[in-house]
């Protein structure tokens, strides 16, 4: 990959990984417009790790409490809000882990078309808007129970379909269950840690099997993805309660329409 291509795609991936606007749709656009080839395994590893480092760094204090109280609760059999949340994250991760392992090959072969991404970008964008308007937006993370966590985890399975947006569908599910915007976003970001870490480890295993590894490209992609993802998380949580999901839903409609025009125009 050329340096310019690495910079553009890494910044796009970092920004769109956590915004509810679909990273896969955004990676198709520059490839179609500029005629770029597939970014390859090394780039996938780089941006996954960049995004993972960003979310772990941003929520480092929360993660420490989750680990401490989650594991400590097993011993004392008394769970604080953080300890209970830790195990709810584990529970919500199980569906996407199982489905991803079973259907990974089918999804990559049959569902990575521009037509599928355009449809899911628009369809789940409208669903996000509806959930934001109709949701009660009263519940906090402390009120999340195992049934609701499992519903959000089940919704995350849909993110295996390109164009859905992992953050978008989990926030949509949270809003539909009555969660506040910031609570839905926060749970979505914490839930992203195992969701990103698992495929990152699998991709790294595949990468190490290659004879030649472009470590320079990986380091640059990781750094840029980290910076853009960290800033995205920070500003999204700062403003989401005020701006709501409507701007992101509208943007998804425009993006999906642009993809349709590119396919059939």
């Amino acid at each position: 990959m050329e340096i310019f291509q690495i910079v553009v795609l890494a910044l796009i991936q970092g920004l769109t990984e956590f915004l509810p606007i679909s990273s896969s749709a955004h990676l198709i656009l520059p490839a179609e417009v500029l005629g770029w080839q597939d970014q390859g395994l090394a780039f996938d590893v780089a941006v996954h790790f960049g995004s993972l480092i960003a979310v772990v760094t941003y929520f480092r204090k929360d993660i420490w409490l989750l680990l401490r109280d989650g594991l400590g609760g097993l011993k004392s059999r008394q769970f604080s809000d953080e300890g209970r949340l830790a195990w709810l994250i584990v529970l919500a991760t199980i569906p996407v882990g199982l489905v991803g392992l079973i259907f990974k090959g089918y999804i990559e072969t049959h569902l990575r078309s521009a037509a599928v991404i355009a449809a899911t970008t628009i369809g789940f964008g409208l669903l996000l808007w509806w959930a934001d308007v109709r949701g009660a937006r009263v519940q906090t993370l402390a009120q999340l129970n195992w049934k609701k966590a499992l519903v959000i985890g089940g919704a995350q399975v849909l993110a295996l379909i390109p164009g859905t947006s992992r953050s978008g569908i989990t926030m949509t599910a949270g809003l539909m269950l009555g969660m506040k915007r910031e609570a839905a976003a926060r749970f979505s970001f914490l839930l992203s840690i195992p969701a990103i870490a698992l495929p990152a480890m699998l991709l790294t295993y595949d990468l190490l099997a290659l004879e030649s590894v472009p470590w320079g490209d990986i380091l640059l992609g990781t750094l840029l993805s980290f910076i853009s993802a960290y800033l995205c998380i920070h500003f999204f949580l700062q403003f989401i309660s005020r701006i709501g999901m409507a701007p992101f839903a509208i943007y998804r409609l425009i993006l999906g329409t642009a993809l349709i025009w590119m396919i059939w125009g």
Side-chain angles (χ1 to χ4, degrees), residues 104-162:
K104 180 177 181 291
Y106 178 86
I107 292 168
E108 291 181 349
T109 304
H110 296 88
L111 298 179
R112 291 190 66 84
S113 69
V116 169
I117 292 175
T120 52
T121 298
I122 293 174
F124 288 112
L126 291 172
L127 186 62
L128 174 66
W129 197 344
W130 180 86
D132 191 42
V133 172
R134 300 290 294 182
R137 301 204 304 269
V138 295
Q139 295 185 11
T140 64
L141 273 181
Q143 295 172 286
L144 187 67
N145 57 35
W146 71 269
K147 293 181 181 179
K148 293 179 179 179
L150 200 55
V151 169
I152 297 173
Q156 187 173 222
V157 172
L158 295 173
L160 294 171
I161 304 173

Side-chain angles (χ1 to χ4, degrees), residues 80-231:
S80 64
D81 288 342
E82 288 78 11
R84 189 171 58 83
L85 179 60
W87 288 106
L88 291 179
I89 292 171
V90 173
L91 177 65
T93 301
I94 293 173
V96 73
L98 291 175
V99 176
L101 287 174
I102 296 172
F103 294 102
K104 180 177 181 291
Y106 178 86
I107 292 168
E108 291 181 349
T109 304
H110 296 88
L111 298 179
R112 291 190 66 84
S113 69
V116 169
I117 292 175
T120 52
T121 298
I122 293 174
F124 288 112
L126 291 172
L127 186 62
L128 174 66
W129 197 344
W130 180 86
D132 191 42
V133 172
R134 300 290 294 182
R137 301 204 304 269
V138 295
Q139 295 185 11
T140 64
L141 273 181
Q143 295 172 286
L144 187 67
N145 57 35
W146 71 269
K147 293 181 181 179
K148 293 179 179 179
L150 200 55
V151 169
I152 297 173
Q156 187 173 222
V157 172
L158 295 173
L160 294 171
I161 304 173
T164 300
S165 170
R166 193 211 59 81
S167 59
I169 196 62
T170 50
M171 290 182 204
T172 297
L175 291 169
M176 292 175 68
L177 293 170
M179 296 177 71
K180 294 181 178 181
R181 288 168 177 157
E182 186 177 355
R186 204 169 189 84
F187 187 69
S188 173
F189 291 156
L190 291 172
L191 192 58
S192 74
I193 295 172
I196 297 174
L198 292 174
M201 288 187 290
L202 292 175
L203 287 172
T204 301
Y205 177 79
D206 293 336
L207 181 66
L208 294 176
L210 299 179
E211 294 183 2
S212 177
V213 180
W215 292 111
D217 292 358
I218 291 176
L219 290 174
L220 179 60
T222 301
L223 177 62
L224 293 174
S225 176
F226 163 75
I227 293 172
S228 56
Y230 188 93
L231 292 174

